[in-house]
Amino acid sequence: MRVATFNMQNLRLRAGRLDGARDADGAPDGSALRHDDADRRLGARLIAEAAPDVIALQEVFDRAALDFFHDRLLAPLSELRYPHRVCLPGNDGRGQDIALMSCRPLAEVKGHAALTPRDLNLEAPRGMNPSHPVFRRDCLTARAGALTLFVCHFKAPWPRARKAWAVRRLEAQAVRRLVERRFDDPASALWLVLGDLNDPMDGPEPAIAPLLPPFSVDLLARLPPDERWSWHDSDTGTYGRPDALLASPALAGRFPAARPRLHRAGLGHEAQRHHGHRFAATGWHRPHASDHALVAVDFPGL
């Protein structure tokens, strides 16, 4: 089984067409609009090239946008079909939700957008109402065969970094609580936390520490440090690794050679750390598939 995660950067369907991979929600200028279709075709090429069996997606506005993207852009490029598609409403104020596409049947699909710190017996950080939702988007859970997925998109580190850190810490604690409630012995079960955790992970005190080793195995840590980056901010020139594949000890132990592959062919040319294959249609920033790479890992025989 090949499992992937990809932040699609605002996949939204409006008036019969998809918005491009851009952060702005307002009316863009003509130059931005010209790149929209090219962006989404690059995203489809990236997924088709990676050919995952199951892919977790972030920043998808609804099931209609997901279906349009799959049927109109991805299906003509790939021999794979993803008949099992999920996109449940979450808590993001802009409407960016979490989604799953799978070639294999999905079981026990459930969103957790309504969960509160009180529901999970967690202490809310100062200034947060314990009866408000714990997840800024959601934690979407599903089982694909023997593997249980916990798909996340945590709070971004702005506008106030310290407050955002506290929110991400609570989200990480909540995901851990969901794993612990699902399995009698989480260390021996087969599960994977994946998605955009919006955390550098390499700092002195990561917000997502409750999910990190020894609770899980960070599969990206199996790569050399300079190969782990999965995101580039064109405004600041910053590189980061917000995208994560955190495997249960049992899953990582069963597949000791499983090393993630980062598909960066859809990044704009301003991401100059990438010296490998790039789609010919990519431009300087745009057109691009996203400001994130697609991250995939193989679990042979699963």
Side-chain angles (χ1 to χ4, degrees), residues 279-302:
F279 297 136
T282 57
W284 186 269
H285 182 52
R286 294 185 69 204
H288 67 179
S290 172
D291 52 1
H292 290 249
L294 182 152
V295 187
V297 66
D298 288 343
F299 301 117
L302 190 64

Side-chain angles (χ1 to χ4, degrees), residues 90-153:
N91 298 320
D92 185 85
R94 296 166 62 191
Q96 298 173 344
D97 294 326
I98 295 170
L100 266 173
M101 295 196 304
S102 179
C103 299
R104 304 184 180 197
L106 296 172
E108 301 172 41
V109 177
K110 186 176 181 180
H112 296 88
L115 280 180
T116 68
R118 187 171 289 156
D119 294 330
L120 296 168
N121 198 26
L122 294 172
E123 183 178 351
R126 181 178 298 178
M128 179 177 175
N129 189 323
S131 64
H132 287 179
V134 66
F135 293 115
R136 283 303 177 264
R137 281 96 177 180
D138 196 0
C139 176
L140 176 63
T141 59
R143 182 170 54 80
L147 181 63
T148 299
L149 304 171
F150 296 81
V151 186
C152 305
H153 187 186

Side-chain angles (χ1 to χ4, degrees), residues 8 11 13 18 57 60-71 84-87 99-101:
M8 299 202 71
L11 184 72
L13 181 67
L18 291 170
L57 301 169
V60 178
F61 274 77
D62 51 31
R63 177 64 186 268
L66 185 65
D67 289 347
F68 187 98
F69 175 80
H70 174 271
D71 296 343
H84 310 285
R85 299 190 292 274
V86 181
C87 185
L100 266 173
M101 295 196 304

Side-chain angles (χ1 to χ4, degrees), residues 26-269:
D29 60 26
S31 174
L33 283 170
R34 282 200 303 273
H35 295 313
D36 282 358
D37 184 64
D39 285 353
R40 295 312 175 190
R41 292 186 183 280
L42 287 168
R45 284 191 63 188
L46 194 68
I47 295 172
E49 181 181 85
D53 297 294
V54 184
I55 182 166
L57 301 169
Q58 300 86 49
E59 299 196 12
V60 178
F61 274 77
D62 51 31
R63 177 64 186 268
L66 185 65
D67 289 347
F68 187 98
F69 175 80
H70 174 271
D71 296 343
R72 303 286 187 94
L73 300 182
L74 180 57
L77 296 179
S78 175
E79 295 181 359
L80 292 176
R81 294 293 182 271
Y82 298 92
H84 310 285
R85 299 190 292 274
V86 181
C87 185
L88 303 179
N91 298 320
D92 185 85
R94 296 166 62 191
Q96 298 173 344
D97 294 326
I98 295 170
L100 266 173
M101 295 196 304
S102 179
C103 299
R104 304 184 180 197
L106 296 172
E108 301 172 41
V109 177
K110 186 176 181 180
H112 296 88
L115 280 180
T116 68
R118 187 171 289 156
D119 294 330
L120 296 168
N121 198 26
L122 294 172
E123 183 178 351
R126 181 178 298 178
M128 179 177 175
N129 189 323
S131 64
H132 287 179
V134 66
F135 293 115
R136 283 303 177 264
R137 281 96 177 180
D138 196 0
C139 176
L140 176 63
T141 59
R143 182 170 54 80
L147 181 63
T148 299
L149 304 171
F150 296 81
V151 186
C152 305
H153 187 186
F154 287 175
K155 174 74 176 77
W158 54 73
R160 288 183 286 176
R162 182 173 297 181
K163 182 176 180 180
W165 185 98
V167 172
R168 284 199 308 284
R169 170 58 62 93
L170 183 65
E171 290 183 293
Q173 291 171 333
V175 174
R176 177 165 177 158
R177 189 61 52 87
L178 289 175
V179 175
E180 292 170 336
R181 287 185 174 184
R182 188 174 185 111
F183 305 108
D184 293 334
D185 181 10
S188 64
L190 300 180
W191 51 264
L192 184 70
V193 174
L194 70 167
D196 181 356
L197 303 189
N198 264 318
D199 203 90
M201 288 185 263
D202 299 317
E205 191 178 359
I208 64 165
L211 292 173
L212 295 178
F215 183 70
S216 73
V217 175
D218 178 5
L219 296 183
L220 276 158
R222 292 178 171 179
L223 301 176
D226 62 351
E227 294 181 16
R228 298 173 191 169
W229 68 273
S230 64
W231 166 79
H232 177 254
D233 180 12
S234 61
D235 292 330
T236 63
T238 302
Y239 294 84
R241 50 168 298 200
D243 305 285
L245 297 169
L246 303 178
S248 69
L251 181 64
R254 184 169 168 179
F255 299 97
R259 290 163 56 92
R261 181 176 177 185
L262 289 103
H263 295 259
R264 303 187 180 102
L267 291 172
H269 286 265

